[in-house]
Amino acid sequence: MTNNSKSDSSMERLYNGLVKENPTFVLMLGMCPTLAVTTSAMNGLGMGLTTMVVLALSNMIISLLRNIVPDKVRIPAFIVVIASFVTMVELLLEGFIPALYDALGLYIPLIVVNCIILGRAESYASKNPVIPSLFDGIGMGLGFSFALTCIGAVRELIGAGEIFGFHIMPDAYVPCAIFIMAPGAFFVLAALTAIQNKIRMNGEKKGRDMSKIQSGCNEDCMNCADKGCSHRFYGASDGAGSKNETVKAGGKERE
Amino acid sequence: MVSDLMRVSSNPHVRSKVTTGSIMLAVVVALLPAAGFGIFNFGLDALILIVVTVAATVFTEYAYEKLMGKKVTIGDYSAVVTGLLLALNLPSSAPWWIGAVGGVFAILVVKMLFGGLGQNFMNPALAARCFLLISFTSIMTNFDCDTYTGATPLAALKSGESVNVLDMVIGRTAGTIGETSMIAIVIGAGFLILLGVIDLRIPGSYIISFVIFICLFGGHGVDAAYISAHLAGGGLMLGAFFMATDYVTRPITKVGQYVFGILLGILTGIFRIFGPSAEGVSYAIIIGNLLVPLIEKATLPVAFGTKGGKRA
């Protein structure tokens, strides 16, 4: 399979996280921080980068531990790794960037339960070598940062007339305050997701490959063409095609 | 292929001259007294705002349907009704673009993105009013104009000042363009009731439950002046007759309509008496709209012949 080398290449992981499998606009994961902290572009970027650091490091460690941790206790083990990194990041932020720490507040410790991180640990890092896992984390984190910054920028622009604190709109512009309140997050997320879908549909029309994942299984059993798949609705999907056999065997062990 | 002649829809096959367009046109006509009084009361500003808002709603509907390749439905006047209702809910001092932004929001976000007329889960005019109220609070609560300055009668009432109920019934007070005159609204509502476009189930249960609520919790007991000031003030009449009765966002079942009206009365009472602002009709109706599917499910009539089915 020519896919295998592609899906394992670092650049491919980055592109996958940023565009094809963007955690916010495509996978719709991590909605709580996405909606709650994107009141400005700066907060969105800060949250995204903080998550990216945790995601990359925890992916790496979990990938290293993947052959040691018994399957039955893997979720608690992942959470311990993730929580350790979140605590480190939290203390570092409090010490060095207190402004961002104050702005993000409760949402920093909540990174522990961000489903993107656990999702990547479970579906990619626990089945793949260290380097691709690291880049998968960075790619996903970049995608998350990009999405949050976009949402934050649009909300800040309409709701306060600024982007990153710089005044953009003419003085006559009256800020539409609802956009930096909770409803605005939903409006902007919906609009940006719609634009992303439009771009994807246009790409498909032109015959570009816009499918979510390069490797065999896209974990989306509902929309999967392979109705006879033995892992249908039972998880245990594989991140990389070359590991197909071993992973499937691993999946059976779990059941 | 089956020929067109053979393709018959399911019964009943009653023919009626009543169409969406004719009903909406009746609502537009019924709103004219309130709009006319608003223009008379607040002057040219009000007229400009009404024209801009209606133009914005109609144009948004037209543009969206053209762009999306759908059938253009501006001929059914529903966009005009939305625009007119929204404009009547704006203070006359608001700049023209408030009407335009509100009109675009009402039609594009609340109505068209959810599938157009009949699919919107909320009254578009009210949703747009709340959108504007949250976004541009200072503009939307500034009722100062050439004719009147100072607080609306409801705000005065809330802060314990005395109000002139007669002025409120006639409409010579500060407020949004269309809400001030109880007489003009009731004339329009009477016209709709005579035509059979609306009935008294929702407005009646709404107003009665509201009156009972303020008698119990208003702190004035059964005080005729206080009650009539609450009835004539603010958007209660406009909301009860023209917005709570919106075909799309009210319950279908008769029992459900009574439940809906009582719910609105209680919510409006809570917002007016215990809430931070003097007015609460818009939020009450919007929250009521969201509960409509639940109300309909709970009040579904029992099908004929299945009532005695308490076996097993």
Side-chain angles (χ1 to χ4, degrees), chain B residues 193-206:
Chain B
I193 292 168
L194 280 182
L195 282 184
V197 174
I198 63 172
D199 54 52
L200 276 173
R201 278 193 286 270
I202 292 175
S205 55
Y206 185 175

Side-chain angles (χ1 to χ4, degrees), chain A residues 158 172-179 181 183 187, chain B residues 97 101 105 109 130-132 134-137 139:
Chain A
I158 304 177
Y173 177 75
V174 183
C176 186
I178 199 169
F179 277 90
M181 294 189 235
F187 293 146
Chain B
W97 56 263
V101 170
F105 181 85
V109 177
C130 293
F131 172 81
L132 294 171
I134 296 171
S135 300
F136 310 104
T137 312
I139 296 174

Side-chain angles (χ1 to χ4, degrees), chain A residues 50-89:
Chain A
T50 313
T51 310
M52 185 180 88
V53 171
V54 176
L55 191 50
L57 294 177
S58 65
N59 254 12
M60 197 174 75
I61 298 296
I62 287 164
S63 173
L64 280 173
L65 295 174
R66 71 186 189 280
N67 295 325
I68 303 169
V69 177
D71 259 351
K72 278 185 180 165
V73 293
R74 67 186 193 286
I75 301 282
F78 296 164
I79 291 288
V80 168
V81 172
I82 297 166
S84 320
F85 281 116
V86 170
T87 311
M88 282 158 61
V89 167

Side-chain angles (χ1 to χ4, degrees), chain B residues 65-81:
Chain B
E65 285 170 339
K66 272 282 167 200
L67 280 176
M68 294 291 152
K70 291 184 175 165
K71 193 172 154 243
V72 174
T73 56
I74 54 172
D76 66 11
Y77 299 105
S78 63
V80 179
V81 170

Side-chain angles (χ1 to χ4, degrees), chain B residues 21-44:
Chain B
S22 71
I23 289 175
M24 292 297 170
L25 196 60
V27 178
V28 172
V29 172
L31 283 170
L32 286 181
F37 187 85
I39 295 166
F40 162 74
N41 204 12
F42 296 107
L44 202 60

